[in-house]
Amino acid sequence: MAKFLLTATYTGGGLEGLTADGGTVRVEVVRALVENAGGRLEALYFSFGQYDTYVICDLPDAVTAAAVAIAVRAGGLVNARLIPLLTPEQVDAVVNLPVAYRQPGH
């Protein structure tokens, strides 16, 4: 499983739906979405900053994550972005991978 952060901003219509349903209903909708995709919802928080919601979840892979993001955005009431998250151990593995790269102009 891979861990992702989903940030979302509701459109006006999405906020109307949130107002009608309430927060706990939305959490269960998101939980069902993630679980139906083979994942696990770790946390969902509402906010009033740059984004309206922050979701942390595990999904099987990047393809599944893309399918979830497309499904959410296709509805037109939520602008969502899925961001892959790495553990410190994964970063350790990343920085030890040999990668050949030449800087522009060098």
Side-chain angles (χ1 to χ4, degrees):
M1 287 280 199
K3 194 166 293 290
F4 292 88
L5 169 66
L6 183 145
T7 59
T9 303
Y10 290 102
T11 65
L15 286 172
E16 288 176 15
L18 176 64
T19 301
D21 290 346
T24 54
V25 169
R26 291 314 310 161
V27 171
E28 292 312 312
V29 168
V30 172
R31 183 183 317 283
L33 169 68
V34 170
E35 289 178 356
N36 288 334
R40 183 183 73 81
L41 178 66
E42 182 176 315
L44 184 152
Y45 293 97
F46 292 94
S47 181
F48 49 87
Q50 181 177 1
Y51 301 106
D52 296 320
T53 61
Y54 293 86
V55 176
I56 300 172
C57 62
D58 295 312
L59 292 167
D61 51 41
V63 172
T64 304
V68 166
I70 288 170
V72 171
R73 294 198 65 190
L77 298 178
V78 179
N79 295 316
R81 298 286 185 264
L82 259 167
I83 303 158
L85 300 175
L86 300 174
T87 66
E89 294 79 15
Q90 288 171 316
V91 171
D92 289 347
V94 166
V95 298
N96 288 313
L97 287 175
V99 177
Y101 175 69
R102 184 177 65 81
Q103 297 287 343
H106 288 94

